[in-house]
C-alpha cells in the first residue's frame, strides 16, 4: 500500500526514481521537511575530538585527509583550517588558531568534502566520525553549515563559559561569608 505520510520511528522503504542509471548516487540522501529542508554543504565548521591518529601521521593539520561517516554517507574529506583549540574539561577556547592538533586534543575546525552532503548543526544529523585506514580517529559535531556564521558557535560557547566562571566565583564568595572567622577548639 502507498502511504503519503508516516510517523516518526516507522520503518519505510522508499524507491527514488531517477531519469537514468548514471544519475544515481549512493548515499547522501536525507528525507526532510519541504518547508525547512536540510542544508547541503561542501564546507562546514565542526568541533572535533581526536581519539587517535595513525603512527605514521601523528598530527592533524590543514590538508589532512580522512573519510567522514555521517548518517548514511561515507565521503572523502579534508581539513581546511583549524580555528580554535578547545579544552574539553574547562570549555575554554584558544584565541589563536593552532597549526596542528594531536591525539587527545579537541578543536573547532573547518572540513571540506568534494560533493555536497546533507548536514545539520543539530542532533543526530550533526554527529559524525572520521576514519583513516579503517580506524576511527575522531568524533565530531557540526557547529555551523553556513559560512557566514563560522566562528559564532565558539563565541557563544565562550560567553557561556565566562558566565559559568562568574557564577562559580560568586558561589565561592557566598560560601566564604558563611564560614566562621574563628573555629572553636575542641
Amino acid at each position: 500500500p502507498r502511504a503519503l505520510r508516516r510517523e516518526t520511528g516507522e520503518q519505510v522503504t522508499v524507491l527514488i526514481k531517477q531519469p537514468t542509471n548514471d544519475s544515481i548516487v549512493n548515499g547522501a540522501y536525507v528525507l526532510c521537511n519541504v518547508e525547512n529542508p536540510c542544508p547541503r554543504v561542501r564546507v562546514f565548521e565542526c568541533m572535533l575530538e581526536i581519539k587517535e591518529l595513525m603512527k605514521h601521521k601523528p598530527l592533524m593539520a590543514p590538508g589532512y585527509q580522512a573519510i567522514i561517516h555521517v548518517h548514511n554517507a561515507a565521503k572523502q574529506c579534508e581539513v581546511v583550517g583549524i580555528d580554535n583549540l578547545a579544552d574539553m574539561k574547562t570549555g575554554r577556547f584558544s584565541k589563536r588558531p593552532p597549526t596542528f592538533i594531536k591525539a587527545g586534543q579537541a578543536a573547532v575546525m573547518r572540513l571540506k568534502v568534494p560533493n555536497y552532503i546533507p548536514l545539520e548543526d543539530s542532533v543526530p544529523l550533526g554527529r559524525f566520525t572520521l576514519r583513516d585506514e579503517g580506524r576511527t580517529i575522531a568524533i565530531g559535531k557540526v557547529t555551523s553549515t553556513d559560512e557566514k556564521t563560522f566562528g559564532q558557535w565558539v563565541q557563544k560557547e565562550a560567553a557561556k563559559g565566562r558566565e559559568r566562571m562568574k557564577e562559580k566565583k560568586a558561589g565561592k564568595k557566598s560560601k566564604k561569608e558563611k564560614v566562621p572567622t574563628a573555629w572553636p577548639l575542641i
Side-chain angles (χ1 to χ4, degrees):
R2 287 183 100 167
L4 298 175
R5 182 183 175 109
R6 288 283 138 206
E7 297 299 320
T8 304
E10 292 186 64
Q11 294 184 10
V12 297
T13 302
V14 178
L15 176 64
I16 300 174
K17 293 185 179 183
Q18 297 190 356
T20 65
N21 287 342
D22 296 340
S23 63
I24 296 174
V25 179
N26 290 332
Y29 290 103
V30 174
L31 296 176
C32 56
N33 190 335
V34 175
E35 290 83 27
N36 188 17
C38 180
R40 294 176 11 164
V41 298
R42 291 182 69 188
V43 177
F44 60 95
E45 181 186 64
C46 64
M47 171 73 144
L48 195 68
E49 186 177 354
I50 307 297
K51 295 298 184 186
E52 67 174 316
L53 291 170
M54 301 294 108
K55 288 183 181 177
H56 60 281
K57 296 192 274 185
L59 304 175
M60 183 179 281
Y64 190 98
Q65 294 185 345
I67 305 294
I68 184 171
H69 290 263
V70 56
H71 46 82
N72 66 338
K75 302 285 182 186
Q76 182 79 23
C77 73
E78 180 180 345
V79 175
V80 177
I82 304 173
D83 299 327
N84 303 89
L85 196 60
D87 186 342
M88 298 299 282
K89 292 179 183 174
T90 63
R92 301 181 91 183
F93 299 93
S94 67
K95 292 183 181 177
R96 293 189 182 139
T99 53
F100 61 86
I101 56 175
K102 301 182 283 187
Q105 292 183 316
V108 177
M109 59 177 59
R110 287 169 282 122
L111 296 180
K112 177 177 77 173
V113 291
N115 301 324
Y116 286 100
I117 59 172
L119 278 179
E120 287 187 356
D121 51 2
S122 65
V123 177
L125 288 180
R127 306 288 188 199
F128 64 91
T129 60
L130 283 187
R131 294 179 57 87
D132 194 6
E133 297 180 13
R135 300 180 74 170
T136 300
I137 60 169
I139 57 172
K141 69 177 181 177
V142 177
T143 57
S144 178
T145 56
D146 184 7
E147 291 187 50
K148 296 173 189 169
T149 62
F150 285 3
Q152 290 180 2
W153 181 83
V154 170
Q155 292 172 354
K156 288 178 188 175
E157 290 297 311
K160 286 180 190 176
R162 285 191 294 272
E163 287 298 317
R164 282 192 298 265
M165 291 301 288
K166 285 180 185 177
E167 290 172 5
K168 198 173 185 180
K169 286 180 181 178
K172 285 183 180 179
K173 287 180 183 176
S174 65
K175 286 181 184 177
K176 286 181 183 178
E177 293 168 2
K178 294 178 185 177
V179 175
T181 56
W183 289 95
L185 298 172
I186 298 176

